[in-house]
Amino acid sequence: MDIEDRTTPPGGIGTPPSPLSVEQAEAALVEHYPRLVRLAFITLAPALGRHRRVLAAHGIVQRALPARRTRKSTDIPGRRTAPASPPGGPAGAAYVTLRARVLRDAMAYGRRPGWWPKRGPGPERLRHPLPAVWGLRVFPAAGGADELALEQALSGADAATRAALALRRAEGLDERATAVLLAEAGATEPALAVRTAERLGRQALGEPPVDEDGRETPHPLLSGEFDPCFVHTRPTDLLRRRHRTRAAGAVVVVAAVAAAALPLVLRGADPSPERVAATGTVNASISQRILDPGHLVRAGRDEWADTSRVDFTVWPARGDRLDDTALLGRALQVWASPAREVRITSTPGTGTEPPTRPPRLLYAGDVDGTAVVLLNDGDRTVRYAESADAKAAPALDFVRTDDADVVTGAALVVTREGPGSRFLLAPWIDETTTRDLLRPNLPGKDLDVRADGVTAPVPRPGASGTCDSWPALQLRSSELIVEKHAFLLTDLGDLAPVHLTYTPPPGSGAPARQPREATSATALQSWAHTACHLPSMRGAGVRAVNNWVYAQQTLPEAAGRADWVCTRADTWRGPGRVLVQLQLPGAAPTALGVPVATATDTASCSRFGQHVVAGAAWRAPKSGDWYLLAAGSRKVTRIQASGGVKAAGSGPFLAVRAPKGVKAELRARMADGSELAGLH
């Protein structure tokens, strides 16, 4: 048996296709099986979950081997415009043929063909039943922070974009060959998919990662997180499986009784739409359904371990009052129609309107003498609290939590009693400690966590009215999600704690790509100079705060090196605010950085505003002379001062003598010729 290759062999453009035997195709499949499965795995939608995605990728590759001679066994005709084999890659036409078939099937996976009858309003997905695994869940090894960021970015992309990124980074194809392959696999806009993939990769990873010698390291798509041939296993929900087995007999009995009673029910039913519309029972039933505790959405206990969407949607319901329908009903009723005495708080930009669909139950239980219910409707998390003695009015707190991730969806405040707060932790948190940001050299202390995920009390930052300490949570994610991933959260008065990150200065080892976790010694030292600036951000709906050391300036008169730090607070609703501070050498380890500029509702110091320049007055400790200092980010090529001081200097720094208290306007010229106004 032969199959005909309709791809361009590596010998050149437009070379006539030559027939390939099934034996050659089989040999190519066996030799390059891991590579083909990786391509299918990356192209498939992460929404399938890791278990189904692994099995689907293997199934697609295993079915790529044709069983008979066909002139249409690979792709759409006309593929003779660009080389389809990457330099240094497998030169065999059999591999190129198989790759095209795998790509086509992975992009079309789950899509209903035109001839398939549609039933109901939603799409019917077609999936092959093999291969199958019973009693076990399989998933690839967890990667690092880069792999996690890339996986989350892929989850929001379409199949053509995911395929383009796989072909460019895992297969090593150029843009032209990638676009050709995508077109033949059915992509309607292949060139757009290639451009989108490039932009997605840059946004998720920034600059290409390099090692200590400056050499580019392998792309994260080549890591174990995207290798479905090397998998871990774990059992399915054993308790649920046992309950299903025991319930099988009961289902048969109920079905028999229902079949016997059905004629009696139908005899008295009136299904006419006129009657339904006239009585309005449909609208009433929808309202009752939303307020019915029995319709609260509850995630499975281990659902978080088999999904690419790691956020509040996979939190299992926990607490000792999950079956207390009276408590749950009160929480829903108060949310839908709060009485005048109910205490309601919400972060800026967060609505307090009733839910439009049954919300998700995250927690229901007693904590420190307070009954607490935590609910989530997709965009907001709501906390209902009532005292056990019913002496105090109930409280209802709202916070936006849309687009949460493995870090910003890792904890919620359950109670604030006295000087401490208790948190409910996400199910993927494996290790919990606390640390004082003002004592960066001290190790973290273990924090007790109850079986239902509620922590022991954690001191609230600034509860004493002073800033002599700043407690923070240091959490570590399960290796089922991401390897060796620890991060910091702190309480700024909202239900959702704030994620603290750090971006190192340019030129210190690997290039700065994106904010990273603030758990290194250098990051902790930077936050020791910044923590006491955080109270100004309380109650503002802050999602994350990043400390970016955007420049390091050598001071005049050999006074040492100062760090220019842009501290950016991003909110859940979108707008951000920045504080530029000058951290001077020789200061105490916890000395507060000197604030020199602020801005609100700005993109500065974010990935959408990567350039910044600011200035400050500084007095030299030796001579006592005053200077105007200014520093810009690394693409600043010239800084000019006007107003009270007229001066200019090449490069990203400026230092000139100036009278005490003088005001100056700063402008910077960028490497591309554009200009940037200084923050003040």
Side-chain angles (χ1 to χ4, degrees), residues 27-297:
L29 186 144
V30 172
E31 180 181 358
H32 302 293
Y33 185 81
R35 191 169 181 176
L36 292 168
V37 176
R38 186 190 296 268
L39 174 62
F41 181 80
I42 297 170
T43 304
L44 288 168
L48 292 172
R50 292 187 291 177
H51 174 81
R52 286 169 55 192
R53 197 169 159 208
V54 167
L55 298 183
H58 283 275
I60 287 171
V61 174
Q62 291 169 14
R63 292 189 296 275
L65 187 66
R68 58 187 173 84
R69 181 182 178 88
T70 172
R71 296 187 61 86
K72 297 182 180 181
S73 61
T74 55
D75 292 293
I76 299 172
R79 182 180 188 169
R80 301 191 184 185
T81 58
S85 184
Y95 173 79
V96 176
T97 299
L98 292 174
R99 181 177 63 189
R101 293 172 62 89
V102 166
L103 185 67
R104 179 197 61 197
D105 292 347
M107 288 178 58
Y109 184 80
R111 188 188 306 161
R112 184 182 67 250
W115 51 263
W116 188 263
K118 185 174 181 179
R119 301 175 183 174
E124 293 186 27
R125 299 186 176 274
L126 301 180
R127 298 190 177 99
H128 202 280
L130 295 176
V133 175
W134 296 92
L136 287 175
R137 311 294 291 178
V138 298
F139 50 92
D146 285 344
E147 288 79 4
L148 178 63
L150 189 57
E151 175 75 358
Q152 291 172 340
L154 289 173
S155 66
D158 58 16
T161 300
R162 295 191 298 267
L165 192 61
L167 292 172
R168 293 279 289 124
R169 301 307 176 196
E171 287 290 291
L173 298 185
D174 60 27
E175 293 186 7
R176 184 183 176 204
T178 299
V180 169
L181 272 173
L182 291 176
E184 294 168 352
T188 56
E189 296 184 277
L192 176 62
V194 173
R195 292 194 301 270
T196 304
E198 291 297 313
R199 184 172 63 252
L200 180 147
R202 288 194 300 269
Q203 290 177 352
L205 303 174
E207 300 178 20
V210 297
D211 58 20
E212 294 180 354
D213 298 326
R215 294 172 299 187
E216 189 170 330
T217 60
H219 196 274
L221 285 181
L222 299 174
S223 68
E225 174 140 341
F226 298 96
D227 183 4
C229 289
F230 181 75
V231 298
H232 296 280
T233 63
R234 64 181 297 167
T236 55
D237 193 330
L238 302 177
L239 185 60
R240 183 182 301 176
R241 193 194 308 174
R242 186 192 308 172
H243 288 168
R244 287 174 177 171
T245 303
R246 291 178 177 177
V251 170
V252 174
V253 174
V254 170
V257 173
L262 185 60
L264 299 177
V265 174
L266 293 178
R267 197 170 299 153
D270 182 4
S272 66
E274 292 80 5
R275 177 176 175 179
V276 171
T279 60
T281 55
V282 171
N283 290 338
S285 66
I286 292 176
S287 299
Q288 286 301 112
R289 185 172 182 269
I290 293 176
L291 300 178
D292 183 359
H295 286 96
L296 286 170
V297 180

Side-chain angles (χ1 to χ4, degrees), residues 466-512:
T466 61
C467 192
D468 51 5
S469 69
W470 195 277
L473 289 174
Q474 181 165 320
L475 308 179
R476 183 174 62 82
S477 302
S478 166
E479 293 193 355
L480 296 176
I481 301 296
V482 58
E483 285 185 336
K484 301 177 181 178
H485 181 227
F487 53 93
L488 293 181
L489 300 177
T490 192
D491 183 6
L492 287 184
D494 298 327
L495 284 182
V498 176
H499 181 206
L500 302 181
T501 56
Y502 171 76
T503 303
S508 58

